Amino acid sequence: MGGMPTPQTVPSRAELFDHLVRTRIAGVVATPRQNSLDHYRALARGDRSHWLGVELGDRWTDEQDVLAVMAERCGVSDDPALRSGQDAIDPELTIAALERAALFLRKAAEARRRVLFATGHPGGLLDVHRATAAALRAAGCEIVSVPGGLRADEGVVYQVADVAVFERGATLWHTHSPAPMAAVLDGLAREGRPRPDLVVADHGWAGCAAQRGIDTVGFADCNDPALFLAEAEGLLRVAVPLDDHVVDPRFYEPMTAYLLDAAGLPAVG
């Protein structure tokens, strides 16, 4: 798309705002409004597939309460009567969340902490995590390696470019399940290895880590409310609202450059 910053260029805040809207990472996104509302209702009715590993108990049984949090933290309309068209994410909230996430990355780099990266959206967010992991590794952090031989949900868990992923049938899968992250954390414990100091992830990978008390930064779409509820409760440190699978994963590169620059981390490779 015309005007997209190059990967080597760190966009200004205003440039990033425009880029997010133009590429539909934020602003009017591809997610149908009805789909978002259906997910909020399913979560409120106890459908654990929408809890993303967060134990919500009976604290969020009113879908209007869920909608209110999503309006506050993601920027969707708070009008329950608005049920058609495309949903929207406030780009200002996306950028503000990236800046909060950058603080955790900066602190991790300064303390050379152990950091684990994982994605349930390999088609969209894999390179966001890979680039961030590379920058933290160059800053002296330990990027946690996943134990070998892990299985979950009738598939396997391993790493691609320092990012934990779920694979089934020789294909990387889009998954919301917390089971792959549970397998990683349990595998580390079995080997007597310390758990991560920080997790940067999405979907159930992030929810599971946060539920286990690990500082977690998560990326989440407007139809995945659980991570935003976890953030509202103080369980998840940061939930970054964005469309997590736009038409070209390269569109995330300026966003990643902005995140790393805000964290004081030079891009690597």
Side-chain angles (χ1 to χ4, degrees):
M1 289 190 177
M4 186 174 77
T6 66
Q8 294 77 25
T9 302
V10 178
S12 68
R13 204 176 196 279
E15 288 170 337
L16 180 61
F17 182 102
D18 290 344
H19 173 75
L20 294 175
V21 172
R22 190 168 57 250
T23 58
R24 301 183 72 182
I25 294 172
V28 177
V29 295
T31 306
R33 170 68 170 183
Q34 186 65 58
N35 179 263
S36 293
L37 295 177
D38 288 346
H39 286 200
Y40 304 167
R41 181 180 304 108
L43 178 146
R45 292 180 177 178
D47 182 344
R48 296 180 71 88
S49 69
H50 290 280
W51 288 16
L52 304 183
V54 181
E55 292 301 324
L56 298 173
D58 59 0
R59 300 187 299 279
W60 297 98
T61 56
D62 187 335
E63 64 189 87
Q64 300 308 316
D65 291 340
V66 178
L67 176 59
V69 170
M70 294 303 291
E72 175 190 15
R73 295 179 180 267
C74 197
V76 304
S77 171
D78 63 358
D79 181 2
L82 178 60
R83 313 193 68 82
S84 61
Q86 303 307 117
D87 220 333
I89 295 172
D90 185 343
E92 286 288 354
L93 294 178
T94 302
I95 296 172
L98 288 169
E99 292 167 348
R100 294 197 306 276
L103 294 176
F104 283 90
L105 299 181
R106 182 185 292 272
K107 291 176 182 178
E110 290 172 349
R112 299 192 172 186
R113 301 178 77 190
R114 294 181 302 276
V115 188
L116 174 64
F117 290 84
T119 186
H121 236 305
L125 298 179
L126 179 61
D127 203 53
V128 175
H129 294 301
R130 178 209 60 79
T132 309
L136 283 178
R137 182 185 288 280
C141 287
E142 175 191 343
I143 305 305
V144 176
S145 61
V146 169
L150 296 180
R151 299 195 63 83
D153 293 336
E154 300 180 349
V156 298
V157 181
Y158 62 93
Q159 277 172 305
V160 173
D162 281 334
V163 184
V165 293
F166 175 71
E167 185 242 47
R168 187 191 295 172
T171 301
L172 299 186
W173 274 53
H174 170 206
T175 177
H176 286 220
S177 173
M181 178 59 85
V184 171
L185 297 178
D186 293 344
L188 291 172
R190 283 195 303 271
E191 292 184 357
R193 295 165 56 194
R195 69 183 193 172
D197 299 310
L198 175 68
V199 166
V200 181
D202 48 69
H203 286 179
W205 298 90
C208 176
Q211 184 62 45
R212 294 202 183 190
I214 300 171
D215 282 348
T216 302
V217 170
F219 296 91
D221 210 328
C222 58
N223 63 350
D224 290 328
L227 296 190
F228 296 101
L229 300 181
E231 182 189 39
E233 292 189 338
L235 185 66
L236 185 87
R237 295 303 187 185
V238 183
V240 180
L242 81 178
D243 187 315
D244 53 17
H245 199 151
V246 292
V247 295
D248 188 339
R250 290 175 297 180
F251 290 165
Y252 296 110
E253 290 174 354
M255 182 194 79
T256 306
Y258 186 90
L259 172 66
L260 296 181
D261 183 70
L265 298 169
V268 178

